[in-house]
Amino acid sequence: MDFALIGGTGVENLSLADKTEITVDTPYGSVPLQTGKIGNVEMAFLRRHGSGHTVPPHRINYRGNIWALRELGVRKILATGAVGSISPEFRTGDIVLVDQFLDFTKNRPQTFFEGGEQGVLHVDVSDPYCPELRKNIISGAQTIGLDVKEGGVYVCTEGPRFETPAEIKMYNILGGHLVGMTGVPEVVLARELGLCYATMALVTNEAAGISKQPLTHSEVIATMNMLGATVAKLIESTCRFLKKEQSCYCLTGCTEAGLF
Ligand code: HPA
């Protein structure tokens, strides 16, 4: 199994052909996921928030999830994530291939390398989202005549609450474009294990204070319901461009530590 999809909010009911439910045991607990096919491509499919959207962002087993995918042999991960827009460049309904992040999480294990026997790794995240995978998604989008936006700074908050307007103003001043609750440490952990990883950020709402209305999770879900079919098509189309070989620098993520 070379490829995986991590489905965020609203991308939880993707239908795989030849679907099998499995559980992978990891040092961080058991991880339930599905395997199957999208088109002709074998994929692992992991619902980030669990089945029935029962796991909030701060309680997701990020380490278990990424470890489980690697255990299956996965080398490349496509991910989706719902985001609010901080910047007028990005509108509700946009799909954005983010290329940088700002991390404002507070209380999440951020690494596989906890010292001692596991060693210490200061992983490079100069280019956190795989440039090759992002190209594959762009090719997938072009094939179906879909416009995706290239580049954007993803701000990750701890959640599960939405932000205050003052926080959103601060993130904007700092250069953030989009805000979500689940992108970090997922992207970092993938890099630590030498996996390619790219996120399709799905803009579900204007962030707090930009929108005049109070934010609700049902607003996020309503936009996702609108975007769901398009995202499924984009994933299917992207799968046709995926290559097993890793020809990018993502592979070297953990070589400095020389472990795992
Ligand atoms: N803030 C944080 N996370 C989100 C948002 C938001 O506005 N929309 C979707 N996920």
Side-chain angles (χ1 to χ4, degrees):
M1 186 85 31
D2 300 292
F3 309 114
L5 174 70
I6 301 182
T9 298
V11 188
E12 286 154 339
N13 299 316
L14 207 79
S15 56
L16 297 181
D18 306 334
K19 185 170 78 182
T20 312
E21 307 268 352
I22 60 167
T23 301
V24 181
D25 291 326
T26 77
Y28 308 97
S30 312
V31 175
L33 46 83
Q34 302 174 346
T35 60
K37 278 185 166 180
I38 298 181
N40 288 325
V41 181
E42 279 194 51
M43 300 281 285
F45 176 44
L46 201 154
R47 285 170 289 193
R48 189 185 285 121
H49 295 280
S51 65
H53 200 96
T54 47
V55 187
H58 63 296
R59 307 210 54 180
I60 290 167
N61 183 0
Y62 295 99
R63 289 194 295 192
N65 289 350
I66 297 296
W67 190 278
L69 295 179
R70 202 193 78 131
E71 198 72 32
L72 290 175
V74 166
R75 306 296 328 165
K76 301 193 176 189
I77 302 172
L78 297 172
T80 71
V83 292
S85 169
I86 296 174
S87 140
E89 285 163 65
F90 300 104
R91 304 256 166 212
T92 298
D94 281 353
I95 300 176
V96 188
L97 306 183
V98 292
D99 60 355
Q100 287 289 314
F101 67 76
L102 291 168
D103 180 13
F104 282 88
T105 64
K106 294 176 182 159
N107 197 16
R108 302 177 183 187
Q110 294 274 349
T111 179
F112 291 112
F113 295 84
E114 295 286 10
E117 275 186 9
Q118 292 164 358
V120 173
L121 175 68
H122 303 287
V123 75
D124 176 74
V125 280
S126 302
D127 211 356
Y129 302 92
C130 174
E132 291 300 319
L133 266 185
R134 280 188 280 139
K135 276 190 213 152
N136 296 156
I137 300 169
I138 292 162
S139 303
Q142 282 167 348
T143 306
I144 57 170
L146 179 70
D147 194 25
V148 293
K149 296 200 164 155
E150 295 181 48
V153 178
Y154 177 106
V155 177
C156 194
T157 65
E158 182 68 12
R161 67 169 174 85
F162 286 120
E163 302 70 40
T164 62
E167 286 170 325
I168 293 299
K169 201 187 254 179
M170 172 183 75
Y171 297 145
N172 181 267
I173 291 167
L174 294 179
H177 297 123
L178 302 158
V179 59
M181 302 177 193
T182 57
V184 183
E186 196 170 87
V187 57
V188 178
L189 294 167
R191 169 56 47 78
E192 280 195 349
L193 295 188
L195 310 181
C196 298
Y197 178 99
T199 293
M200 291 163 253
L202 314 172
V203 183
T204 53
N205 58 279
E206 292 180 315
I210 295 177
S211 158
K212 301 293 161 247
Q213 321 287 332
L215 294 183
T216 60
H217 187 59
S218 27
E219 177 184 356
V220 172
I221 298 293
T223 314
M224 276 311 312
N225 287 342
M226 234 171 55
L227 270 177
T230 307
V231 175
K233 270 194 213 143
L234 174 60
I235 291 165
E236 197 184 329
S237 176
T238 299
C239 280
R240 290 188 225 132
F241 292 91
L242 297 177
K243 295 192 189 63
K244 291 184 183 185
E245 306 73 46
Q246 285 179 286
S247 51
C248 45
Y249 95 130
C250 306
L251 187 59
T252 62
C254 55
T255 47
E256 257 189 272
L259 295 171
F260 297 124

